Amino acid sequence: MNDELYQIGLPLERLSNVLMNWTCYEPRKKIIISPSMKQEDYVVVETRHTELASEIIKDVPEAKVKILKEPVKIVKI
């Protein structure tokens, strides 16, 4: 398992690039898209998929990246 969580902040109008990359690379992998708390016209994309994160960063030059070392939490019910 990958312990790195990529948080990528990017402008809202570039979200279509993210979704296009997601469908091309690995649509079964999960990404979380949420509005940014700091900037009104930005969204934050969270993923653990390294290749997907690198393609998003390559396609959106104004993207801001934060890498967190967070282990995956598994909850069994």
Side-chain angles (χ1 to χ4, degrees):
M1 275 274 163
N2 189 3
D3 284 348
E4 294 180 340
L5 176 65
Y6 300 98
Q7 292 181 332
I8 307 166
L10 55 122
L12 181 61
E13 63 266 6
R14 302 300 296 265
L15 192 56
S16 61
N17 293 56
V18 172
L19 297 176
M20 183 179 64
N21 281 327
W22 179 61
T23 57
C24 291
Y25 269 87
E26 191 63 60
R28 292 178 300 270
K29 295 284 183 176
K30 294 181 182 176
I31 60 172
I32 298 171
I33 301 172
S34 57
S36 174
M37 297 292 191
K38 295 181 181 178
Q39 292 182 336
E40 190 173 297
D41 59 341
Y42 265 58
V43 293
V44 177
V45 176
E46 293 183 352
T47 184
R48 292 189 185 274
H49 196 271
T50 308
E51 290 87 15
L52 176 61
S54 65
E55 282 301 314
I56 292 170
I57 295 164
K58 187 174 82 172
D59 283 351
V60 184
E62 59 268 10
K64 300 172 187 173
V65 181
K66 184 176 181 182
I67 302 173
L68 301 174
K69 294 285 185 183
E70 299 251 342
V72 177
K73 296 178 185 174
I74 299 173
V75 178
K76 293 185 179 181
I77 300 178

